[in-house]
């Protein structure tokens, strides 16, 4: 399976959807948050890319912003690509992004998991509610500012 | 004159012998026909992804064991491959062959559990389950020789495995390789053309390839719909390019083809183990501490590695900030994502088919909830 070079993929995306790419490197393409649905729809439906399998969706908390990461695979062209998007700058309370449920049903549980553990709201998701934790659980545990009451098993001076 | 019926909603699980752990469903019936299913997860959620952020890269191996506890070796392998890719570690060949032997044995063990409990869910009490557990026991004993543990193995380390296999292991493995085909034949004689299994599983819960791909369903379920998609072939990792094996494919997409596919995959896995035993050569099983230190500090960056687990694509997404513990660790759990179409598969079938379909999907709650 071939991995798409991020820079080549970014050029392809930018020619079809202007002003959608923020930056790109060898492994991934960073896309404008507002254009994410459009870009992924383009990558799914255009022959030559045909990313028909949404391998994984996940999110990372980088303290000053969040990043949602999409790993796409194509069973037709036997290739894979990574698309990222940054959102929620300045720790806004309810960072929002378009759901890709209508493109891939496989996003259903994965987006619910991100919502549950990371607190990112997916607009147009048909059933956005907590999946692993219960309703009323305070906060979103995978955020870096979530306070755990466990003791770290690594002495804190070793962590840096 | 038609009889008027009223829908009734009942709660199944989380404590139920057929839910393979602690799975809960809210099922609505019209008579005996299922009209709605809502799966409810989280009863085994331990926050593994958060726990990993406070552990070193090597300590996280123990967390992967406890995800899908019937295929710990495969979880170890996927995680270790992600760490190796992130840190750019070159594994030792003997370590990699041992890793492949352990993972393929684990795949056999996991499929034996899947088949045994699928038949148990059909109402065949005892016999087939005992047969498959007997074979699985031999594999678990071999794991005990390899690493001292049966279920939570923690056998693999960045760069290979943590210790070489003793002579006792090779003796048991060679007798297992000789005996296992006959054991599968025995199991097949009992089940494959069994009238009850035919009538209960054929044509039940059919999936089309388009549906499966769109819902990110992978592994034996995708292959049972006729798509020859196996990451060991399509995106080879470790030394899978060097071994010769086939990908069994069925195109019916029903519960019976899922059962049959798992039986055939066990035979293919045994073929891989046999070749690994031929290829393996003496040597170190992991790099010296000079090359791979005990506390690994990968460079800043991220990587996603996916392997073909026993239940589907098992992916690990690691983000490093340069310290000794992962900044973020995400598991793409095949068990959770394979349940995406549970509602579509069950609606319209009868109450009796519910647990057969559920057993056919083969999930593990430790991996669903993590």
């Amino acid at each position: 399976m071939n991995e798409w070079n991020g820079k080549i993929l970014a050029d392809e995306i930018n020619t079809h959807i202007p002003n959608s790419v923020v930056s790109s490197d060898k492994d991934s393409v960073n896309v404008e948050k507002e254009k994410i649905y459009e870009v992924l729809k383009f990558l799914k439906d255009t022959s030559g890319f045909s990313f028909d399998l949404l391998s994984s969706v996940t999110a990372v908390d980088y303290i000053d912003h969040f990043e949602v990461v999409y790993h796409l695979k194509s069973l037709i062209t036997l290739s894979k690509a990574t698309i990222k998007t940054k959102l929620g700058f300045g720790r806004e309370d309810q960072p929002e992004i378009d759901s890709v449920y209508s493109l891939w049903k496989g996003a259903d549980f994965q987006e619910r998991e991100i919502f549950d553990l990371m607190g990112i709201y997916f607009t147009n998701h048909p059933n956005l509610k907590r999946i692993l934790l219960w309703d009323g659980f305070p906060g979103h545990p995978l955020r870096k500012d979530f306070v755990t009451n466990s003791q770290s098993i690594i002495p804190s001076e070793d962590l840096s | 004159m038609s009889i008027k019926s009223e829908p009734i909603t009942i709660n199944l699980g989380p404590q139920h012998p057929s839910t393979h752990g602690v799975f809960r469903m809210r099922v609505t019936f019209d008579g005996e026909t299922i009209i709605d299913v809502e799966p409810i997860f989280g009863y085994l959620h331990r926050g593994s992804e958060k726990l990993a952020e406070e552990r070193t890269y090597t300590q996280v191996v123990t967390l992967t064991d406890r995800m899908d506890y019937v295929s710990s070796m495969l979880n170890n392998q996927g995680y270790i491959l992600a760490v190796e890719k992130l840190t750019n570690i070159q594994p030792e060949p003997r370590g990699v062959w041992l890793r492949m032997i352990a993972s393929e044995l684990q795949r056999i063990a996991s499929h034996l559990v899947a088949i045994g409990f699928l038949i148990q869910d059909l109402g065949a009490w005892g016999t087939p389950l005992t047969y498959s557990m007997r074979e699985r026991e031999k594999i678990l004993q071999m794991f005990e020789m390899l690493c001292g543990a049966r279920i939570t193995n923690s056998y693999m380390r960045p760069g290979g495995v943590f210790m070489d296999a003793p002579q006792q292991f090779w003796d048991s493995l060679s007798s297992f390789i000789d005996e296992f085909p006959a054991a599968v034949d025995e199991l097949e004689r009992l089940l494959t053309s069994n009238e009850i299994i035919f009538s209960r599983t054929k044509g039940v819960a059919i999936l089309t390839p388009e549906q499966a791909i769109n819902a990110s369903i992978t592994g034996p379920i995708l292959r049972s719909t006729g798509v020859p998609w196996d990451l060991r072939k399509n995106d080879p990792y470790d030394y899978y390019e060097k071994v010769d094996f086939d990908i069994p494919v069925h195109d019916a997409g029903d519960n019976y083809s899922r059962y049959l596919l798992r039986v055939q995959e066990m035979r293919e896995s045994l073929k891989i183990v046999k070749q690994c035993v031929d290829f393996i050569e003496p040597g170190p099983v992991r790099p010296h501490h000079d090359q791979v230190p005990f506390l690994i500090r990968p460079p800043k960056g991220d990587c996603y590695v996916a392997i073909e687990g026993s239940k589907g694509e098992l992916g690990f997404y690691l983000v490093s900030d340069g310290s000794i513990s992962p900044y973020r660790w995400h598991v793409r759990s095949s068990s959770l994502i394979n349940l995406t179409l549970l509602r579509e598969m069950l609606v319209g079938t009868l109450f009796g088919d519910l647990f057969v379909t559920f057993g056919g999907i083969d999930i593990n709650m430790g991996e669903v909830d993590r």
Side-chain angles (χ1 to χ4, degrees):
Chain A
M1 192 158 35
N2 305 314
E3 186 157 2
W4 272 91
N5 185 312
K7 290 201 184 300
I8 298 168
L9 190 63
D11 288 343
E12 295 269 358
I13 295 171
N14 238 347
T15 43
H16 289 89
I17 305 165
N19 307 321
S20 56
V21 175
V22 181
S23 64
S24 62
D25 58 28
K26 187 166 69 48
D27 307 312
S28 62
V29 185
N30 217 315
V31 174
E32 279 296 347
K33 186 193 110 182
E34 280 74 24
K35 299 268 172 84
I36 189 72
Y37 182 84
E38 211 181 324
V39 168
L40 292 176
K41 190 172 164 51
F42 165 74
L43 290 175
K44 182 182 177 241
D45 295 338
T46 315
S47 65
F49 302 108
S50 320
F51 289 110
D52 46 1
L53 181 77
L54 177 70
S55 205
S56 147
V57 192
T58 186
V60 189
D61 180 1
Y62 284 107
I63 300 180
D64 61 334
H65 66 275
F66 294 98
E67 192 173 78
V68 178
V69 187
Y70 299 87
H71 296 280
L72 310 176
K73 284 199 173 85
S74 170
L75 275 64
I76 299 160
T77 62
L78 293 180
S79 56
K80 55 183 175 181
T82 310
I83 308 290
K84 296 177 178 177
T85 183
K86 291 187 167 74
L87 69 156
F89 287 93
R91 297 218 73 77
E92 61 179 282
D93 222 26
Q94 290 197 357
E96 278 188 4
I97 187 168
D98 280 336
S99 165
V100 293
Y101 177 85
S102 52
L103 297 176
W104 295 283
K105 272 195 176 173
D108 186 358
F109 290 164
Q110 307 192 59
E111 287 183 345
R112 275 177 71 187
E113 189 187 323
I114 298 170
F115 163 72
D116 187 355
L117 303 177
M118 198 65 95
I120 292 171
Y121 287 71
F122 289 88
T123 46
N124 300 328
H125 189 288
N127 184 24
L128 192 68
K129 56 181 189 183
R130 284 184 180 271
I131 183 167
L132 295 176
L133 301 167
W134 56 97
D135 292 334
F137 183 88
H140 302 283
L142 281 179
R143 287 189 177 189
K144 290 286 175 185
D145 54 7
F146 183 86
V147 182
T148 54
N149 55 9
S150 70
Q151 283 182 319
S152 172
I153 57 167
I154 309 165
S156 54
E157 58 265 25
D158 280 357
L159 275 171
S160 53
Chain B
M1 192 188 100
S2 66
I3 301 167
K4 207 177 155 222
S5 61
E6 218 167 81
I8 180 167
T9 304
I10 64 163
N11 179 67
L12 279 166
Q15 304 293 342
H16 188 285
S18 286
T19 55
H20 301 212
V22 278
F23 186 65
R24 186 178 154 206
M25 281 178 276
R26 203 178 282 139
V27 194
T28 309
F29 295 99
D30 181 12
E32 224 183 314
T33 315
I34 299 167
I35 54 173
D36 193 21
V37 181
E38 187 195 357
I40 299 162
F41 313 101
Y43 291 91
L44 203 58
H45 180 58
R46 292 148 297 176
S48 303
E49 291 177 8
K50 187 74 178 175
L51 289 171
E53 292 172 11
E54 295 182 346
R55 277 156 179 77
T56 67
Y57 282 91
T58 316
Q59 284 170 338
V60 174
V61 176
T62 59
L63 295 176
T64 66
D65 291 336
R66 285 152 182 81
M67 282 167 18
D68 182 353
Y69 41 78
V70 297
S71 63
S72 313
M73 287 290 191
L74 287 156
N75 300 344
N76 282 184
Q77 193 189 23
Y79 170 72
I80 289 302
L81 282 165
V83 176
E84 283 176 359
K85 189 178 174 194
L86 193 63
T87 328
N88 210 0
I89 294 171
Q90 287 304 318
E92 291 289 348
R94 190 177 172 85
V96 175
W97 288 119
L98 278 169
R99 221 147 70 176
M100 281 172 64
I101 293 173
S103 326
E104 289 307 321
L105 287 175
Q106 185 76 78
R107 193 185 312 275
I108 295 174
S110 172
H111 282 349
L112 281 170
V113 172
I115 292 167
F117 280 99
L118 170 68
I119 307 308
Q120 177 99 334
D121 290 343
L122 274 170
W125 260 95
T127 315
L129 181 66
T130 332
Y131 278 25
S132 52
M133 287 294 129
R134 181 191 64 201
E135 296 308 311
R136 177 172 178 259
E137 181 63 25
K138 291 177 190 164
I139 295 172
L140 296 187
Q141 277 172 1
M142 280 191 272
F143 286 167
E144 201 172 356
M145 294 169 199
L146 275 180
C147 59
R150 291 156 53 86
I151 307 281
T152 51
N153 308 104
S154 297
Y155 179 48
M156 299 173 197
R157 295 287 182 278
V161 299
F162 86 91
M163 64 180 249
D164 207 344
Q167 187 52 43
Q168 200 189 2
F169 170 78
W170 298 113
D171 299 341
S172 310
L173 184 63
S174 77
S175 60
F176 179 76
I177 290 173
D178 294 339
E179 290 162 9
F180 188 64
V184 183
D185 291 342
E186 189 187 23
L187 199 66
E188 277 214 88
R189 267 205 306 282
L190 193 64
L191 301 174
T192 301
S193 50
N194 189 309
E195 182 61 37
I196 297 168
I197 289 171
F198 261 18
S199 55
R200 291 289 304 278
T201 57
K202 272 210 162 174
V204 175
I206 295 175
L207 272 187
T208 64
E210 293 76 27
Q211 274 181 315
I213 294 170
N214 191 257
S216 303
I217 289 174
T218 45
I221 308 180
L222 180 60
R223 287 191 288 276
S224 77
T225 64
V227 184
W229 181 255
D230 189 319
L231 290 174
R232 289 175 292 173
K233 273 268 201 268
N234 295 106
D235 192 9
Y237 48 91
D238 277 353
Y239 293 156
Y240 278 102
E241 269 170 312
K242 298 185 185 178
V243 293
D244 173 48
F245 63 101
D246 299 322
I247 314 173
V249 175
H250 285 267
D251 44 16
D254 58 0
N255 281 330
Y256 184 70
S257 55
R258 279 165 217 150
Y259 153 75
L260 214 56
L261 194 103
R262 290 199 177 96
V263 174
Q264 287 163 345
E265 276 191 7
M266 291 198 298
R267 295 188 197 272
E268 292 302 319
S269 289
L270 195 74
K271 228 160 94 181
I272 298 175
V273 173
K274 251 189 237 170
Q275 291 172 57
C276 292
V277 175
D278 294 339
F279 280 125
I280 197 165
E281 278 171 5
V285 291
R286 60 172 166 158
H288 191 261
H289 286 308
D290 298 346
Q291 284 135 32
V292 181
F294 186 67
L295 288 178
I296 300 165
R297 287 169 202 268
K300 274 187 188 175
D302 62 343
C303 82
Y304 177 77
V305 171
I307 67 160
E308 187 66 35
S310 57
K311 295 168 178 69
E313 175 181 341
L314 180 64
F316 290 88
Y317 181 64
L318 269 174
V319 181
S320 163
D321 61 346
S323 73
I324 58 170
S325 16
Y327 183 76
R328 172 90 168 88
W329 177 56
H330 173 71
V331 185
R332 187 253 188 233
S333 105
S334 38
S335 292
L336 173 68
I337 295 165
N338 285 352
L339 285 174
T340 306
L341 286 187
L342 184 70
R343 188 178 174 280
E344 280 76 359
M345 285 161 85
L346 285 176
V347 167
T349 59
L350 299 178
F351 178 58
D353 300 329
L354 195 152
F355 283 115
V356 184
T357 306
F358 191 67
I361 299 174
D362 181 29
I363 61 154
N364 185 291
M365 288 319 284
E367 195 182 71
V368 172
D369 293 341
R370 276 156 291 143

